[in-house]
C-alpha cells in the first residue's frame, strides 16, 4: 500500500516508521496532554465561515461600498434582506459551535444550545442598525480628522483602522450578547487583516478614529469615550495581572486604562493599568504612562523623563 502526498509522490507508511508516532500522538491526545474542552471532541467554529459572515454583514450594512456597486433604490432592500437571511443563518450555526466551549456543562443540551444560538443571533440582528450608526460616526471622525482623506469611500476601503473598528463593533456586540469565543475569533480575523488588535470586550464610544493603526493594542477591560483618536503602535494594556492564592491569574478584573472623551494619543504611546486619561487630554508620542492624568492634560515624553 502506498499513500499519495500533496506533491504527487507516493510513499509507504512504513517509510517514516509512523506506527509508533501515531500511537504516541494518540496517547498524548487522549491522556497525557489532553486539552479538549471537558475532554470531548467538538466541532470548532470555522474561521473561513466567519470571514464569509463578516463580509456578508458589512455588505448588508454598507451595500454599495461592500456589496454591489450597481444597486438601485429598487433593488437595495432586496439585496440587504437576501444577504442578511443567508448570513444570519450561517452566523447562528457558528454561534452554536462557539457556545459549546462557553458551557459549564460537561455534556451541554444540544437543543438548548441551538435555541440560545438563535436567540443571540436574533438579538444581534436587532442591534445592526445601532452598529451601523456607530460605524458611520467612526468613518466621519476619520474623514474630519485626517487631512489626507479624500472621500468616505477611500476611508471605508483603504483605511486599516476603519476595517479593524468594523470587525470590533460586530465582535463586541456578539461578546456582550453572550458569544465571547466567536467574538474573539472575529476580532482575531480583523487583527490578521489590519495589524490592529482590539479585544471584543473593550468598550469604545462613538466617533473613534485609529490613524495608520499598525501595532495598536487595546485590552479587554479598556474603556474609551467618544471622539478619541489613536495613532499607530499605541498600547492600552495592563500593568500587572492579579493572581489568587494558588498563583492562578484572576480573569475579568479591570486592568486596562479608561480614556475619556476627546483624547488624542500619538504614535508609540504605552498606557498601562487601570488609570484614567482625563477628557480633552493629549498624550504625546512614545510616552510611557502608568498614572492617571486630569482632564485637559498635555503629556510629552520630555515631561515623563523629567518626572
Amino acid at each position: 500500500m502506498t499513500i499519495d502526498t500533496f506533491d504527487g509522490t507516493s510513499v509507504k507508511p512504513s517509510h517514516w516508521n509512523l506506527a509508533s508516532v501515531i500511537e504516541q500522538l494518540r496517547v498524548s491526545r487522549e491522556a497525557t496532554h489532553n486539552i479538549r474542552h471537558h475532554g470531548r471532541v467538538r466541532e470548532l467554529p470555522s474561521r473561513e465561515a466567519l470571514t464569509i459572515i463578516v463580509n456578508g454583514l458589512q455588505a448588508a450594512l454598507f451595500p454599495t461600498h461592500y456589496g454591489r456597486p450597481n444597486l438601485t433604490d429598487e433593488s437595495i432592500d432586496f439585496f440587504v434582506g437576501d444577504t442578511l437571511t443567508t448570513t444570519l443563518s450561517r452566523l447562528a450555526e457558528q454561534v452554536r459551535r462557539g457556545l459549546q466551549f462557553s458551557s459549564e456543562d460537561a455534556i451541554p443540551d444540544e437543543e438548548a444550545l441551538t435555541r440560545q444560538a438563535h436567540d443571540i443571533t436574533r438579538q444581534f440582528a436587532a442591534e445592526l442598525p445601532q452598529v451601523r450608526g456607530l460605524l458611520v460616526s467612526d468613518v466621519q471622525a476619520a474623514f474630519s480628522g485626517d487631512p489626507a482623506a479624500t472621500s468616505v469611500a477611500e476611508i471605508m476601503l483603504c483605511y486599516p483602522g476603519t476595517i479593524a473598528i468594523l470587525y470590533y463593533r460586530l465582535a463586541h456586540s456578539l461578546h456582550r450578547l453572550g458569544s465571547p469565543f466567536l467574538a474573539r475569533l472575529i476580532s482575531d480575523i480583523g487583527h490578521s487583516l489590519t495589524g490592529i488588535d482590539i479585544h471584543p470586550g473593550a468598550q469604545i464610544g462613538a466617533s473613534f478614529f485609529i490613524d495608520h493603526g499598525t501595532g495598536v493594542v487595546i485590552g479587554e477591560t479598556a474603556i474609551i469615550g467618544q471622539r478619541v483618536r489613536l495613532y499607530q503602535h499605541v498600547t492600552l494594556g495592563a500593568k500587572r495581572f492579579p493572581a489568587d492564592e494558588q498563583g492562578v491569574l484572576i480573569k475579568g478584573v479591570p486592568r486596562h486604562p479608561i480614556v475619556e472623551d476627546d483624547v488624542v494619543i500619538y504614535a508609540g504611546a504605552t498606557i498601562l493599568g487601570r488609570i484614567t486619561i482625563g477628557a480633552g487630554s493629549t498624550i504625546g508620542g512614545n510616552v510611557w504612562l502608568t498614572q492617571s492624568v486630569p482632564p485637559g492634560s498635555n503629556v510629552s515624553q520630555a515631561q515623563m523623563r523629567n518626572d
Side-chain angles (χ1 to χ4, degrees):
M1 173 183 173
T2 61
I3 297 175
D4 292 330
T5 62
F6 288 113
D7 62 4
T9 60
S10 297
V11 296
K12 295 181 179 180
S14 59
H15 184 77
W16 307 116
N17 299 316
L18 288 185
S20 174
V21 174
I22 293 169
E23 176 59 27
Q24 291 179 63
L25 287 174
R26 171 172 286 280
V27 171
S28 175
R29 211 170 48 238
E30 302 293 340
T32 315
H33 311 112
N34 189 329
I35 58 172
R36 291 172 182 160
H37 187 74
H38 295 312
R40 296 180 64 240
V41 177
R42 300 182 186 188
E43 194 171 14
L44 286 162
S46 163
R47 290 175 67 93
E48 292 76 14
L50 287 173
T51 298
I52 294 170
I53 287 166
V54 173
N55 288 340
L57 290 171
Q58 63 185 15
L61 293 174
F62 300 99
T64 58
H65 288 89
Y66 298 124
R68 296 179 183 172
N70 61 343
L71 291 170
T72 65
D73 289 339
E74 291 74 26
S75 64
I76 195 165
D77 283 344
F78 177 82
F79 170 80
V80 170
D82 184 59
T83 301
L84 282 178
T85 298
T86 302
T87 301
L88 292 172
S89 296
R90 290 172 172 161
L91 177 61
E93 169 58 18
Q94 297 304 310
V95 171
R96 184 194 66 79
R97 294 187 189 186
L99 288 175
Q100 296 180 102
F101 299 89
S102 303
S103 172
E104 296 300 323
D105 299 329
I107 304 178
D109 184 306
E110 291 297 331
E111 290 187 7
L113 279 181
T114 299
R115 287 195 301 272
Q116 186 181 1
H118 280 263
D119 287 342
I120 289 173
T121 304
R122 193 176 298 109
Q123 293 175 67
F124 174 79
E127 292 190 357
L128 287 176
Q130 178 185 356
V131 169
R132 187 181 190 279
L134 287 169
L135 289 168
V136 168
S137 77
D138 301 327
V139 171
Q140 291 172 338
F143 187 73
S144 62
D146 184 4
T150 61
S151 68
V152 166
E154 178 190 10
I155 291 167
M156 296 184 70
L157 297 176
C158 304
Y159 278 42
T162 299
I163 295 167
I165 293 168
L166 187 153
Y167 274 76
Y168 157 77
R169 297 284 188 203
L170 295 171
H172 178 69
S173 180
L174 286 168
H175 187 277
R176 191 173 47 75
L177 291 171
S179 186
F181 186 14
L182 210 67
R184 196 72 174 90
L185 277 170
I186 291 173
S187 288
D188 190 60
I189 295 169
H191 180 199
S192 299
L193 289 171
T194 64
I196 298 168
D197 186 2
I198 310 176
H199 194 285
Q203 301 176 46
I204 303 177
S207 301
F208 183 47
F209 176 33
I210 303 176
D211 200 354
H212 302 296
T214 304
V216 166
V217 177
I218 300 174
E220 174 192 17
T221 64
I223 299 175
I224 299 175
Q226 299 186 62
R227 299 174 301 279
V228 169
R229 188 193 323 169
L230 308 183
Y231 286 81
Q232 67 270 24
H233 295 290
V234 166
T235 297
L236 303 180
K239 183 178 180 182
R240 60 176 59 90
F241 304 100
D244 62 20
E245 296 177 353
Q246 286 73 43
V248 178
L249 293 182
I250 301 173
K251 299 183 182 294
V253 175
R255 59 196 181 278
H256 299 99
I258 299 172
V259 179
E260 294 184 343
D261 296 347
D262 302 299
V263 169
V264 179
I265 306 176
Y266 283 99
T270 299
I271 303 173
L272 303 179
R274 193 58 160 190
I275 63 175
T276 298
I277 308 302
S281 294
T282 298
I283 309 301
N286 297 316
V287 164
W288 183 280
L289 192 59
T290 59
Q291 60 192 27
S292 296
V293 299
S297 296
N298 194 331
V299 182
S300 69
Q301 191 179 24
Q303 288 172 322
M304 299 308 295
R305 279 200 296 265
N306 291 336
D307 291 343

